[in-house]
Amino acid sequence: MSSQKSTADAAAPIAASAEGAPTAGPKMPTRERGRARVAALLAAAGAVFAEKGYDAATMTEIAARAGAPIGSLYQFFPTKAVLADALLAQYAEALMALLATVEARAATLSPAELAADLLAVLPSLKVERAAAFALIDARPDMVAQQGALRAGLRRGIAAILRAKSPALPPERAAAMAVTLLQMMKGAAALGDEPDLAHGREALAGLEHAASLFLKDALG
């Protein structure tokens, strides 16, 4: 078995205070109804943060968007900072879950198919990504968390490459992951402009470039 960590192991915790100490986490429910309520609150928070930014978003508006009493929001997330940290952690988990799905079938994919799957990861979480960027941009204490997320993504991509080609040296996989993550960000940026002229052609060209890059390195 390869010593390379799998995508499932790639995510690093991203919630921390400005001083580096872990923040007080949200209250996690144990019952199905409570979990559904938390999911709705996080979805609403993501939408509001994406639309208005961290500073302009209010807990009252988030609760109203979720159709929940404000008391329920504070029960699970006592402050807006705790809510933001939980949302960023959820975004990281969602990204790693998508990469794990790609890793699980990487060995069966052609370079073109692998390129398409990788470039689809970030655009598939468009709202969540917008919310994450709004939070990171508004909070200087998120710089370290952003770096941890980026590093986790690179490790996840490297694990996918090793799953596709076990003989690929870890150092080479890590270097390729840096390039591929930039291509993935490019695909996400194109998706952020749905009315962009020639956007589809640009995305197809990016996928083709990623495919050639993978074919050249992996065969």
Side-chain angles (χ1 to χ4, degrees):
M1 180 179 294
S2 171
S3 61
Q4 177 76 17
K5 289 186 177 181
S6 70
T7 297
D9 301 318
I14 64 171
S17 68
E19 292 77 21
T23 58
K27 177 183 177 182
M28 289 293 101
T30 57
R31 296 184 179 181
E32 182 62 32
R33 182 178 180 182
R35 289 194 293 269
R37 174 62 58 84
V38 166
L41 290 169
L42 286 170
V48 174
F49 286 141
E51 293 170 10
K52 297 194 170 183
Y54 178 76
D55 293 330
T58 66
M59 297 289 271
T60 299
E61 182 176 5
I62 290 169
R65 181 74 66 96
I70 187 67
S72 292
L73 178 56
Y74 281 112
Q75 175 188 1
F76 296 114
F77 306 100
T79 68
K80 188 164 71 169
V82 170
L83 177 57
D85 288 341
L87 198 64
L88 284 168
Q90 182 188 61
Y91 176 59
E93 291 171 3
L95 285 173
M96 297 310 161
L98 289 173
L99 291 180
T101 298
V102 177
E103 181 185 354
R105 63 195 198 98
T108 68
L109 299 176
S110 68
E113 292 169 334
L114 182 55
D117 277 8
L118 285 172
L119 266 58
V121 168
L122 296 181
S124 70
L125 296 172
K126 183 176 181 179
V127 174
E128 295 88 344
R129 180 172 172 269
F133 269 79
L135 298 176
I136 291 169
D137 288 344
R139 296 177 56 188
D141 60 308
M142 288 287 106
V143 173
Q145 289 87 323
Q146 182 183 23
L149 177 58
R150 186 188 304 114
L153 286 170
R154 289 172 179 169
R155 288 194 297 270
I157 296 166
I160 290 170
L161 297 175
R162 298 292 308 283
K164 171 63 178 174
S165 180
L168 187 69
E171 296 80 6
R172 176 58 178 156
M176 290 179 64
V178 175
T179 299
L180 287 166
L181 181 55
Q182 292 303 313
M183 290 181 171
M184 291 164 65
K185 290 179 179 179
L190 288 173
D192 290 339
E193 298 185 70
D195 299 323
L196 177 66
H198 309 297
R200 288 182 180 272
E201 292 88 341
L203 180 58
L206 191 57
E207 287 184 0
H208 182 61
S211 174
L212 292 177
F213 177 68
L214 289 169
K215 184 177 181 180
D216 181 63
L218 304 179

